[in-house]
Amino acid sequence: MTTVLVLNGPNLNLLGTREPETYGTATLDDVEKSCRAVAAEFDWDLDFRQTNFEGELVDWIQEAAEEQRSGELVGVVLNAGAYTHTSIALADAISGGDVRVIEVHISNVHQREAFRHHSYISPVAAGIIIGVGVAGYPLGLRALHALTDG
Ligand code: CA2
């Protein structure tokens, strides 16, 4: 069975508990459920994870590269949180492993502070979904489907 991986970076475990004006009221569990529904539509297995550690995201991307190469994994929906704006290591793991990544941001980072306007992930992403709230996650799965089966 094909797997799709959804990776969440730092502080996204707090989704739905603080800053609702920026990130809405849905929790990360709600997001996982919405992704599970779309994965089921495509007969995909969903692997949904969150970490506050940069190196763990790098490890997961490296594993994803192997699984994508062997045809088990369709790709990754990635909200790298603040590491988006800082992590060359994560960008290197994505480009080095040729991982098919859809970059997702809940908020419209371009309407926010200048330091959020630059992403190290965007140049190595297959696609980008920004500013449509948590709906961006299931749309990310649909984007992977469109890029591979469409
Ligand atoms: O808009 C996004 O999805 C972000 O990736 C979220 C990151 C932020 O650093 C990026 O610039 C844009 C922050 C995630 C923190 O999430 C929280 C959610 C609720 C309460 C506190 C933090």
Side-chain angles (χ1 to χ4, degrees):
M1 193 179 197
T2 304
T3 299
V4 62
L5 183 59
V6 179
L7 297 183
N8 292 280
N11 296 310
L12 284 158
N13 53 312
L14 299 175
L15 205 60
T17 67
R18 295 183 210 161
E19 300 186 53
E21 62 291 344
T22 307
Y23 298 116
T25 54
T27 65
L28 204 58
D29 278 350
D30 296 329
V31 175
E32 179 170 353
K33 281 187 193 114
S34 70
C35 290
R36 205 162 287 288
V38 174
E41 251 184 63
F42 299 141
D43 250 340
W44 292 345
D45 208 21
L46 175 75
D47 189 349
F48 191 97
R49 306 182 193 177
Q50 188 274 331
T51 181
N52 290 326
F53 299 93
E54 182 178 9
E56 190 153 37
L57 281 174
V58 170
D59 283 347
W60 289 345
I61 290 288
Q62 288 182 6
E63 287 165 22
E66 288 308 310
E67 289 166 17
Q68 191 185 293
R69 242 188 298 283
S70 70
E72 300 157 61
L73 185 82
V74 64
V76 180
V77 173
L78 172 65
N79 185 347
Y83 291 141
T84 303
H85 318 298
T86 62
S87 184
I88 297 168
L90 199 48
D92 282 349
I94 294 165
S95 61
D98 250 331
V99 183
R100 190 180 296 112
V101 165
I102 304 296
E103 176 184 3
V104 168
H105 297 289
I106 299 164
S107 62
N108 183 347
V109 286
H110 298 290
Q111 288 177 344
R112 301 182 64 192
E113 304 95 320
F115 67 82
R116 296 188 204 275
H117 297 179
H118 177 263
S119 166
Y120 282 102
I121 309 302
S122 296
V124 297
I128 304 165
I129 302 172
I130 290 177
V132 298
V134 293
Y137 285 83
L139 286 172
L141 268 70
R142 293 191 187 284
L144 284 174
H145 190 263
L147 287 175
T148 52
D149 268 28

